[in-house]
Amino acid sequence: MTARGWFLFSLMGVIWGIPYLMIKVAVDAPLSPSMVVFTRCALGALLLLPFAIRQGGFVRTIRSHWRPMLAFACIEIVGPWFTLTDAERHLSSSTAGLLIAGVPIVGVVLARFFGDTERLGLRRGAGLALGLAGVGVLTVPHLTGGDARSLGEVLLTVLGYSTAPLIAARWLKDVPTLQLTAPCLALAALVYATPAAVTWPSTVPSASVLSALIGLGVICTALAFVAFLELIKEVGPTRATVFTYVNPAIAVAAGAVLLDEPFTVGIAIAFTLILAGSVLATAASGPAKGGRPVAWSTRQTSRADGRVESP
């Protein structure tokens, strides 16, 4: 992977490790999930739209790619951001962050339906099993009461986060990053504008809650999406999600230090299993049979001198 790829990877590991903390602060205020999602999307769109429009061809890009852009917006933002936010009303931020770490594992499975012909192999198969075991260790204690619904919401979020990068890499790789991100965020803001208005708080939230909302919109949305889509173009959709290896550690640490969330033996075991499983499941298993992996195709054809540059 190039130096640029490593920089984007490190940046994403941090800035998408802290949203769980900020979401938890907001929903505990309590603010409605619709308002939280609307605020972060609206802030992100307001920041990015002027730059996207200045690039030129903004309307033409939307007209020619509106179907995959709509799919990406719904699968990456509109659905998952609500389900994740709603789930954190009942789950700790660290639990949500750990469950999201399963994204690379699900991505490996889904990539095969998008044309990834790289051999799964024993190592990657073992990784899938380890990761699923870690998810099981984490979820079993929450399968009673209202937590079962929250776990389902997080798993839906994982499914969306795993699918959207594959859509971006297959059908949106030629769309400029800002011209993809800005309209998708604007659409999500419009979807949640009315529900947010209905549930708008009667009093101004505290400074900490406002800071959390601003951080979600500016850092974890506007900045993060630009970096994420550039990372997909740099290393491919499956390996682009590997930064979620780092996210759980940051989510757990932030929850423990700032929100006094417990760090239990079960969490430690789950973290170890999910991390090990994700590393093994996304590791290369050897050359593809009968084709090229969708996750590598962009990088393999990008060099003018004909040499293959692996991510």
Side-chain angles (χ1 to χ4, degrees), residues 58-80:
F58 180 70
V59 176
R60 183 172 63 253
T61 298
I62 295 177
R63 285 178 177 174
S64 58
H65 296 87
W66 72 268
R67 289 183 179 86
M69 288 177 71
L70 178 62
F72 180 84
C74 292
I75 296 172
E76 174 72 22
I77 304 173
V78 176

Side-chain angles (χ1 to χ4, degrees), residues 78-150:
V78 176
W81 285 10
F82 179 85
T83 53
L84 176 61
T85 304
D86 190 57
E88 285 205 45
R89 293 190 300 145
H90 303 287
L91 298 176
S92 67
S93 63
S94 56
T95 298
L98 282 171
L99 287 173
I100 296 298
V103 167
I105 299 172
V106 178
V108 168
V109 177
L110 293 177
R112 305 184 74 80
F113 294 97
F114 280 76
D116 186 350
T117 56
E118 185 177 359
R119 184 171 58 89
L120 187 61
L122 180 62
R123 179 171 57 179
R124 298 179 76 186
L128 291 173
L130 280 176
L132 291 174
V135 172
V137 170
L138 192 63
T139 57
V140 167
H142 298 277
L143 289 179
T144 58
D147 287 347
R149 172 187 168 180
S150 300

Side-chain angles (χ1 to χ4, degrees), residues 121-198:
L122 180 62
R123 179 171 57 179
R124 298 179 76 186
L128 291 173
L130 280 176
L132 291 174
V135 172
V137 170
L138 192 63
T139 57
V140 167
H142 298 277
L143 289 179
T144 58
D147 287 347
R149 172 187 168 180
S150 300
L151 290 172
E153 289 179 319
V154 177
L155 294 178
L156 285 175
T157 304
V158 169
L159 184 61
Y161 283 175
S162 305
T163 305
L166 298 170
I167 294 174
R170 175 63 66 88
W171 292 288
L172 297 170
K173 63 183 179 182
D174 297 325
V175 176
T177 298
L178 289 175
Q179 295 191 3
L180 171 58
T181 306
C184 288
L185 290 174
L187 173 63
L190 288 174
V191 169
Y192 287 105
T194 299
V198 172

Side-chain angles (χ1 to χ4, degrees), residues 8 11-12 15-16 44 47-48 181 185 216-229:
L8 292 170
L11 183 64
M12 288 306 305
I15 61 179
W16 267 358
L47 287 171
L48 298 180
T181 306
L185 290 174
L216 277 172
V218 177
I219 300 173
C220 303
T221 299
L223 175 61
F225 252 119
V226 172
F228 181 45
L229 292 172

Side-chain angles (χ1 to χ4, degrees), residues 183-210:
C184 288
L185 290 174
L187 173 63
L190 288 174
V191 169
Y192 287 105
T194 299
V198 172
T199 58
W200 205 266
S202 56
T203 58
V204 178
S206 65
S208 62
V209 175
L210 291 175

Side-chain angles (χ1 to χ4, degrees), residues 188-297:
L190 288 174
V191 169
Y192 287 105
T194 299
V198 172
T199 58
W200 205 266
S202 56
T203 58
V204 178
S206 65
S208 62
V209 175
L210 291 175
S211 298
L213 291 174
I214 293 172
L216 277 172
V218 177
I219 300 173
C220 303
T221 299
L223 175 61
F225 252 119
V226 172
F228 181 45
L229 292 172
E230 289 300 316
L231 183 61
I232 292 175
K233 294 177 181 179
E234 188 74 17
V235 304
T238 302
R239 288 174 175 82
T241 60
V242 175
F243 68 82
T244 54
Y245 298 161
V246 183
N247 294 164
I250 295 175
V252 171
V257 173
L258 300 177
L259 298 178
D260 294 323
E261 293 179 352
F263 183 79
T264 64
V265 174
I267 289 178
I269 294 174
F271 173 75
T272 303
L273 291 173
I274 293 173
L275 178 60
S278 295
V279 171
L280 291 173
T282 56
S285 298
K289 293 184 178 180
R292 292 180 301 182
V294 64
W296 286 39
S297 59

